[in-house]
Amino acid sequence: MPDSPWDWNLQRTIPSSLDAGHQLIECYLKILDQFGWEGGDLFHVQLAVEEAIVNAITHGNQQSPDKTVEIEFKVSRNETIMRIRDEGPGFCPDSLPDPTSEELLDVPHGRGVMLIRQTMTSVEFNAAGNQVTMVKRRAFE
Amino acid sequence: MPERRRLSVTAIADLAIVRFIDRKIVDSTNIEEMGEEMLGLVEKDRFKDVILNFDGVEFLSSAALNKLIIMDKAVKNVGGKLQLCSFKAEIMEVFTITRLNKVFDIKKTESDALKALGVTI
């Protein structure tokens, strides 16, 4: 059996609470920092994970105390994976309107998923639309 | 002057120069407070022009961007001008990706923003 390519990994189930989400994000960012992540790459990861977890808690689970969010992080020096799953009904990411179109440019919502797609190396939603898997490879080693 | 928890404000006549207390603008309660305090500048304190200086701000989420869009509309409603300045490179990239750099008047430094508003100190 080959060794795991990951230097660190974490699986947690958290309540639908933004405080709980932010605590986990802070922990994840500290780990990334320890493995040498910095600058634009670290910023992109922070942006994507923030948007995905807030979406899961607020839009997916509607902050319901009866629902939880499953989160998995894997970290190496060159790559990180984030998987976030909520208990909501899911959504169709391809049906979202383009927030950069002229008519939506000054609308104060709807940029989260676009920011995730623009900053991650790859983004995949499950068929139900309640789980997102995001991969970021560092731009330089 | 009203007590503010998220913003630090310097007044020059009807211009408010605003700095942010939080280095990371992510917490939803803080973002709500920030939005209310920004709107209060034009709706309660009657400032006309506003400079938002992002010096020291390391991160902001799309929820914070939404508050900036609402603020831009509020300032335009009173016939004022809103200038944003002193972005770190990564935050400027967020404005470019979202094309919000087409919505906002963004200057490199606070002095550039003051100059654009015709203010000399």
Side-chain angles (χ1 to χ4, degrees):
Chain A
M1 281 283 285
D3 289 337
S4 164
W6 304 106
D7 295 306
W8 182 86
N9 65 71
L10 174 86
Q11 279 181 292
R12 284 279 187 281
T13 300
I14 63 166
S16 297
S17 139
L18 291 170
D19 283 346
H22 283 129
Q23 274 175 26
L24 203 57
I25 290 172
E26 281 304 315
C27 166
Y28 176 48
L29 294 175
K30 277 182 191 154
I31 296 293
L32 286 165
D33 177 62
Q34 283 173 23
F35 285 100
W37 286 69
E38 59 185 4
D41 290 326
L42 186 61
F43 186 92
H44 286 172
V45 171
Q46 183 175 4
L47 188 62
V49 76
E50 167 74 25
E51 298 295 338
I53 289 181
V54 169
N55 276 353
I57 292 169
T58 57
H59 299 307
N61 286 355
Q62 302 282 315
Q63 301 201 51
S64 164
D66 302 328
K67 292 179 177 171
T68 57
V69 177
E70 289 172 33
I71 296 173
E72 183 177 10
F73 296 137
K74 294 179 178 181
V75 176
S76 76
R77 291 192 176 274
N78 301 319
E79 187 172 319
T80 185
I81 293 181
M82 299 145 267
R83 185 171 294 117
I84 292 134
R85 182 188 186 93
D86 62 57
E87 293 189 82
F91 72 107
C92 178
D94 295 330
S95 69
L96 295 176
D98 177 6
T100 66
S101 62
E102 284 302 323
E103 63 274 19
L104 296 180
L105 212 46
D106 65 347
V107 173
H109 58 78
R111 290 176 179 79
V113 173
M114 188 271 276
L115 283 168
I116 290 171
R117 284 190 154 136
Q118 289 291 321
T119 52
M120 292 292 96
T121 308
S122 73
V123 181
E124 212 176 280
F125 290 89
N126 67 350
N130 69 338
Q131 175 179 293
V132 62
T133 304
M134 306 178 289
V135 178
K136 180 69 176 178
R137 275 181 215 111
R138 290 184 71 183
F140 45 86
E141 294 181 15
Chain B
M1 288 292 277
E3 187 192 340
R4 297 188 184 91
R5 291 153 54 96
R6 308 267 71 90
L7 308 178
S8 151
V9 178
T10 305
I12 303 174
D14 59 0
L15 164 69
I17 302 173
V18 177
R19 283 173 180 258
F20 297 88
I21 304 291
D22 301 301
R23 287 187 308 120
K24 293 185 177 187
I25 306 176
V26 282
D27 179 272
S28 59
T29 308
N30 292 355
I31 289 174
E32 283 306 314
E33 280 184 1
M34 179 195 84
E36 283 168 23
E37 289 179 15
M38 284 196 302
L39 287 179
L41 294 171
V42 283
E43 293 174 353
K44 292 182 194 154
D45 305 329
R46 303 290 171 198
F47 286 107
K48 188 165 158 274
D49 299 325
V50 178
I51 295 173
L52 299 179
N53 185 334
F54 285 80
D55 186 35
V57 175
E58 292 175 3
F59 182 83
L60 51 78
S61 67
S62 70
L65 293 177
N66 297 340
K67 298 298 179 192
L68 297 177
I69 291 170
I70 293 168
M71 179 62 176
D72 189 53
K73 290 180 179 178
V75 173
K76 283 173 181 162
N77 274 346
V78 298
K81 287 180 186 156
L82 177 70
Q83 305 257 348
L84 278 50
C85 68
S86 307
F87 284 145
K88 65 180 266 181
E90 289 85 358
I91 292 181
M92 188 64 231
E93 186 195 8
V94 170
F95 278 75
T96 308
I97 291 173
T98 53
R99 292 188 69 227
L100 286 173
N101 57 337
K102 306 290 178 196
V103 174
F104 293 102
D105 196 349
I106 299 171
K107 303 292 183 210
K108 197 169 179 189
T109 65
E110 188 176 296
S111 353
D112 292 341
L114 286 166
K115 221 177 281 176
L117 292 171
V119 179
T120 46
I121 299 179

